[in-house]
Amino acid sequence: MGAIRQCSRSACRQSAVATLTYVYADSTAVLGPLATYAEPHCYDLCEQHAGSLTVPRGWEVLRLAMPTSPQQPGPDDLLALANAVREAAALPPKSQTTQTQRVPHSALEAPPGAEGTRRGHLRVLREPS
């Protein structure tokens, strides 16, 4: 699992246990278990704020079943992690011949063919002689 997410309510530092989403077309707020990933249009709420949720008049709150204890990684999760590590270790290392090597230049050397020209917001000036 990722890092512990905090409640989305301002000034609340409690860890989130539920996720709130809105279905505007149906005038419905859906409050359910903490989502696997943080989404931009969802709000993570702590136990206190999830319990005291109110919605505008005419809206409906759909409360999904909340787990009684935090979900722990199961054997399937651990096997998937072990398999991913084995696959990564079995891949041959990338050849360095495909990578381009940088050629060292002196610090004041201008790029070739660009003297006295303007490139984007930078200007290359000729060295005074």
Side-chain angles (χ1 to χ4, degrees):
M1 294 301 242
I4 295 176
R5 299 196 312 246
Q6 290 185 340
C7 183
S8 297
R9 297 288 301 259
S10 60
C12 182
R13 298 288 178 227
Q14 299 296 320
S15 60
V17 296
T19 298
L20 173 68
T21 57
Y22 293 102
V23 182
Y24 291 99
D26 297 334
S27 299
T28 304
V30 181
L31 183 66
L34 188 63
T36 306
Y37 301 103
E39 297 287 334
H41 298 291
C42 295
Y43 302 93
D44 295 334
L45 299 176
C46 65
E47 191 172 349
Q48 177 188 358
H49 288 119
S52 64
L53 175 71
T54 60
V55 294
R57 187 175 297 165
W59 280 61
E60 181 182 355
V61 178
L62 180 60
R63 294 180 187 268
L64 302 177
M66 300 290 287
T68 56
S69 62
Q71 186 177 0
Q72 298 295 323
D76 291 337
D77 296 331
L78 296 175
L79 287 174
L81 179 60
N83 289 337
V85 170
R86 283 187 200 111
E87 288 175 12
L91 292 176
K94 291 184 179 179
S95 172
Q96 291 190 1
T97 58
T98 60
Q99 296 177 353
T100 58
Q101 297 293 327
R102 295 187 72 170
V103 179
H105 294 285
S106 66
L108 299 176
E109 184 179 335
E115 292 196 33
T117 61
R118 184 174 173 92
R119 296 180 54 174
H121 66 282
L122 302 174
R123 183 180 302 253
V124 179
L125 301 175
R126 294 184 185 181
E127 188 173 319
S129 23

